[in-house]
Amino acid sequence: MLARLAKLAARGLVIALAAGVPLVLCVLLTRYEAVRIGRSEAALASNFVVNQVMAIVEQARDAARSVAPHAGAPCETLSRELSLAAATQPYVRTLNILDSDHVACSSATGNQSIAVETFLNGNVRTPRGDWLMIVPGTPLVANRPALLVAVRAIGGRNVVAAVDSQYLLDLLHAAAPHNEFRQATLRVGTGPALHEIPAGGDPARDEAGGDSPMESAPLLADVRRTMDGSVIELRLQGLPERLNATWRVLLFRYLPWTALLAALLVWLVYRVQQSRRSRREQLLRAIRAGEFHVEYQPLFGVASGRCEGAEALLRWVRPGIGTVRPDEFIQAAEEEHVIVPLTQHLLTLIAQDVMKWATLPGFHLGINFAPEHLSSEALLPDVRNFTRSIGGRGIEVVLEITERSLVRNTDVAQRNLVALRRDGVRVAIDDFGTGFCSLSYLEKFPFDILKIDRGFVLTIDAQERSAVVLDSIIGLAHSLDAKLVAEGVASQAQFDYLCARGTNWIQGFFYAKPMPADDFGRWYRGPGMAPFPAPVVAAEREAT
Ligand code: C2E
Ligand code: CA
Ligand code: CA
């Protein structure tokens, strides 16, 4: 019971995995793809912005360099040139000459002798030479950040071009729009970063300085370039809602196909599981599931001219698959050693069927038993229980034995048959004369009836030329004082031939085919009780 439950659970788990793995994979892969798309968009935007910033820096440097050769001159002579250069060069707000500790001259204010510290908003200047720095404001526009681009000039001075931060912020905004990224952080050289923050924040005016409150948003791109020793860096942080939106689109696109694939996989796994189940398990399961039923093939009694019995033939109809041929599943049951429980099940089914019929006393009921059952200790109780369960109906039980597989313990089989015959059960040697059943059976086992195999019956042809082997089998049966059943009688000629030679019972499609229990019950009371062949057939025969 526990083992069955464990097996069921394992099978269920495999099916759940077949359904779940594609779905989980789809969810994970689409998530991964959404992140990848976000990252590649961010990388494209970042590279674009950084390239543009470098171009702006280059322009500002050109402006600063254009006045650098004259940076040593007094402000009075220099300021006009500074103003002109600042006015004509793109992006430049002011041009300034920085001496060691003060601003010596400015294109905007001339010589005001502002301290360098004030000009740099408290930031520390990098060593002399070319440098880049973002400052939160300049003396002229205190609350608007600026990018300072400094070049070395004569006399230890610097020419510093102040680029309005609005250019950079607009650039950021164009390349990394609010609805696509949570935040863009641009650092150019030293000094604080410029942040571009979407709705909720104050983009352009989010002053350079300090960490942003949105530092925790996922980082999608971080592009760094170096320009003459100064680093230009842009970090783009993602917008979780945007990532989820991309993810949703991908899920809508791929989930239906994945669900289809999962269903297909479940179906395939189910089919493989079904076919992999061992034959033994399949047979036992089929018994439990009630997939077997019995059909009964009538036996014509030559002496009485009517039905005198039937052979029980097991049938297996597998749901969704169809009928399995009896010789196939009987052989499988013998090989898998489930023929005993299968026959026990057969006996239960027959006992139920028999109750539905009103048979005459002496009704001959043929039941096939496999060699393994014959030599098993179970045979006696099985058959006795069965005869007891149908007792009082005057039914003569006939054990049909054949040698499809070898009888292992002949002694036990013999003892069993002797005991059963003593109980009134008859024994028939089935398939007599074929490979399955040879003369040795006659010596080994006590028997009452010989069943002539269909193969010999087939040798009777329409011209009634003698069938030599068949005749000798009939002769043998007579001399052994055994009764005879002819199997597989399919034509009038065969029927007549066998009736004329002292066969006791005729079984075959010519008389009747196997039929389900209810049909047999009806048939038995009607055609089964009527003389056979029907008068019209007999009359036709007379005429020929
Ligand atoms: P069998 O015991 O020799 O059973 C007779 C077989 O011949 C049956 O085939 C029956 O349908 C078939 N038959 C009867 N009359 C004719 C006919 O006129 N023409 C032709 N062509 N066939 C005819 P079935 O039912 O397919 O069974 C095949 C074999 O499977 C049986 O041969 C028997 O060996 C085995 N079998 C069937 N039911 C059982 C069972 O309950 N237990 C065991 N152990 N074996 C069984
Ligand atoms: Ca048989
Ligand atoms: Ca047979």
Side-chain angles (χ1 to χ4, degrees), residues 429-443:
I429 307 283
D430 202 356
D431 305 327
F432 182 70
T434 64
F436 287 142
C437 202
S438 57
L439 284 170
S440 65
Y441 247 46
L442 303 185
E443 289 167 355

Side-chain angles (χ1 to χ4, degrees), residues 390-403:
I390 61 162
R393 301 187 150 255
I395 289 178
E396 185 169 276
V397 175
V398 180
L399 256 66
E400 297 194 5
I401 61 173
T402 187
E403 204 177 18

Side-chain angles (χ1 to χ4, degrees), residues 311 313 368 400 430 451 487:
E311 178 178 359
L313 296 160
N368 296 286
E400 297 194 5
D430 202 356
K451 286 194 88 170
E487 284 192 303

Side-chain angles (χ1 to χ4, degrees), residues 139-290:
L140 196 62
V141 193
N143 59 351
R144 204 151 82 212
L147 166 63
L148 303 183
V149 179
V151 297
R152 184 203 289 256
I154 53 164
R157 290 182 158 186
N158 279 126
V159 180
V160 178
V163 174
D164 197 297
S165 69
Q166 197 58 46
Y167 293 119
L168 306 179
L169 290 168
D170 287 350
L171 192 59
L172 280 182
H173 183 59
H178 298 161
N179 58 348
E180 292 187 11
F181 298 98
R182 184 72 177 252
Q183 179 173 280
T185 307
L186 180 66
R187 284 180 197 279
V188 184
T190 54
L194 275 181
H195 294 295
E196 168 71 348
I197 303 171
D202 187 2
R205 274 140 295 278
D206 179 63
E207 299 307 272
D211 283 343
S212 154
M214 297 182 193
E215 214 43 58
S216 59
L219 181 67
L220 291 184
D222 185 356
V223 173
R224 279 163 174 262
R225 299 275 172 73
T226 311
M227 213 179 167
D228 297 332
S230 297
V231 174
I232 299 175
E233 181 190 22
L234 176 62
R235 289 160 63 87
L236 279 186
Q237 281 164 287
L239 198 63
E241 304 88 77
R242 171 141 175 103
L243 176 74
N244 289 341
T246 314
W247 190 17
R248 258 198 310 278
V249 169
L250 291 172
L251 273 179
F252 271 116
R253 191 178 303 159
Y254 294 112
L255 210 55
W257 295 106
T258 314
L260 210 69
L261 182 80
L264 190 76
L265 220 62
V266 166
W267 180 76
L268 276 176
V269 166
Y270 179 74
R271 295 295 301 207
V272 170
Q273 279 183 350
Q274 287 291 92
S275 62
R276 268 207 193 154
R277 253 192 236 182
S278 71
R279 292 190 302 174
R280 181 186 166 79
E281 214 181 310
Q282 279 177 21
L283 285 160
L284 289 172
R285 190 198 49 78
I287 293 176
R288 286 193 301 271

Side-chain angles (χ1 to χ4, degrees), residues 57 98 122 130 177 220 223 253 275 321 345 402 421 424 468 471:
V57 168
L98 260 63
D130 294 355
L220 291 184
V223 173
R253 191 178 303 159
S275 62
I321 294 176
H345 180 58
T402 187
R421 282 181 84 225
V468 185
D471 288 348

